Structures are given as structure tokens and as C-alpha cells.
Amino acid sequence: MYWEKIIKFFEDCLNANNLESLSEHLFSILTSYGLNCSIQIYTGSKILNFCEDGKVVPLEADIIALARKKSRFFDFGRRTVINYKDFSLLVKNMPIEDPGKYGQFKDTLGTLCNVIENRVKSLISNNKNTKKNEIISMINQTMNQIEETFTRVQKNNITAIEDMMQDIEEAILHLCLMESQEDDLKNIVALCLDKSNEAFYEG
């Protein structure tokens, strides 16, 4: 379901004929995640502000403009501003009370904003011949992000199992087991680690 949404978003962005409709596609998928956002786009000659309800409060536009001078992801309270060369996205209600969900949303926002950046460039330059290159670029960026995520998961998985092995070895010292029994326990844990790695690489 997650990747179906992302792929549908890719298709919608590629079919967007102007910056307003592109913004609407972005708001649509972010609303489905429960996120309330507004976006500021820089065309080179003017600054455009879009919001999901169509009304951008001047104060929000000022906040985005100020945050644009900050880092790629600039967090303050429940708000996060994501800065790219041609636009800045303000998310007004990040789930800071749920660190896991918060991190997942940041990964997702990075993927979506990469797509938006490529499409904004194309619409600004009005170069239809770049559509094929856009698709390739978006796929490459998404695959790189997936690879980074899998690598991080693998490291966390291996660390957890290695910590467990160490804990078991320490516990063995207090169990008065025979040497063969100790070896059996260690082999079970090592086999678990091998199976976990196999499952990861299959994934």
C-alpha cells in the first residue's frame, strides 16, 4: 500500500501541467498521512505560495522564507521546513510524540520532495523532453533511499543480535553448563544471526 501511493504520486506529478496542480498532488498524499502543509516555490522571477486549503497565511509565508536560510530539514516544535533549490515545504504538525513515526515521515518526505524538485525544474523550464530523464532520476533516487534504509535496518538488526549473543555468553557463566551445552547455545544464536542475514538480503 505504501509503495502504491508513492508510485501513484510519481504518475500524478509527471502528468501535472503547472505548479498549482503539482502542489495539489503533494497535498493530497500528505493529507492521507495526516500532515498539514504549505509550499513556497521559487520560479526565478517570483515566489508562489500554495496551501492545501488554498489560503496561505502571510505569517506562514514569512516563516518559510526565513527557514529557507537554514538546513535541508529545519525543525522547530511540531513544524518542519524542508528546503530544496526551487521550493520549501512547511509541515505544520509533525508527530514529535512518536519518534518512530516521526523518522518514517522524514524519510517519506525526502522521497516525495525529490520528486517535486525534479518536476518543478521541468515545469519552470517548460522542457517536455526531460520527462524521461525525470523518471530515471526519480527511480534512481528512490532506489538509493531504499538501499540506505535497508542498510540501516541491517546494521540495527545485527547489533541487536550481537548484543543478545554477548548477554547469553555472560549468562552462561552463571548457569554452570557443560562445555557441549554452552557450544549448543552459541550455535543456536549464530544460526539465528545467519538466518536473519539471509532474510534481510532476500528482502
Side-chain angles (χ1 to χ4, degrees):
M1 184 62 178
Y2 173 82
W3 289 111
E4 288 178 358
K5 275 188 179 182
I6 298 295
I7 292 171
K8 178 65 165 55
F9 174 74
F10 284 3
E11 294 173 349
D12 290 340
C13 288
L14 290 172
N15 291 322
N17 295 319
N18 54 63
L19 296 173
E20 184 175 4
S21 62
L22 179 65
S23 300
E24 288 172 356
H25 292 313
L26 177 62
F27 296 145
S28 177
I29 190 170
L30 292 180
T31 299
S32 73
Y33 295 131
L35 298 178
N36 185 9
C37 310
S38 59
I39 189 171
Q40 194 170 83
I41 299 176
Y42 312 91
T43 67
S45 60
K46 56 185 176 180
I47 298 175
L48 303 174
N49 291 285
F50 300 106
C51 187
E52 56 186 314
D53 59 8
K55 299 177 182 179
V56 178
V57 179
L59 179 60
E60 282 186 6
D62 292 340
I63 289 174
I64 297 175
L66 289 172
R68 181 161 177 75
K69 302 175 183 178
K70 306 296 183 179
S71 56
R72 172 60 61 85
F73 281 84
F74 178 64
D75 305 303
F76 52 107
R78 292 178 61 84
R79 294 175 174 81
T80 293
V81 175
I82 306 157
N83 295 306
Y84 278 72
K85 181 178 181 297
D86 298 306
F87 75 92
S88 291
L89 175 70
L90 169 64
V91 183
K92 309 172 199 175
N93 60 334
M94 289 291 281
I96 57 177
E97 68 282 354
D98 186 341
K101 193 174 184 180
Y102 183 79
Q104 182 183 7
F105 275 174
K106 276 201 168 182
D107 288 342
T108 300
L109 287 166
T111 298
L112 300 180
C113 285
N114 284 335
V115 177
I116 292 294
E117 173 73 356
N118 280 302
R119 191 60 183 140
V120 166
K121 286 182 184 296
S122 176
L123 290 171
I124 290 175
S125 64
N126 197 27
N127 184 359
K128 296 181 180 180
N129 292 328
T130 62
K131 181 173 284 191
K132 181 178 179 180
N133 291 333
E134 283 182 58
I135 296 173
I136 295 173
S137 176
M138 287 188 289
I139 290 174
N140 285 336
Q141 289 173 353
T142 302
M143 293 306 296
N144 287 337
Q145 190 171 36
I146 292 171
E147 183 178 3
E148 290 174 2
T149 301
F150 268 87
T151 300
R152 184 171 67 250
V153 170
Q154 183 193 35
K155 287 181 180 178
N156 293 339
N157 190 37
I158 290 175
T159 298
I161 293 179
E162 288 178 344
D163 289 344
M164 181 183 68
M165 291 179 69
Q166 183 176 351
D167 291 341
I168 288 177
E169 288 178 358
E170 292 176 358
I172 285 174
L173 298 176
H174 304 287
L175 294 178
C176 299
L177 299 176
M178 296 174 60
E179 184 175 350
S180 60
Q181 293 174 317
E182 293 180 5
D183 291 339
D184 287 342
L185 273 177
K186 292 178 181 178
N187 288 336
I188 290 172
V189 176
L191 180 60
C192 176
L193 178 59
D194 290 340
K195 288 183 177 180
S196 177
N197 285 332
E198 288 177 7
F200 172 82
Y201 285 115
E202 286 178 7

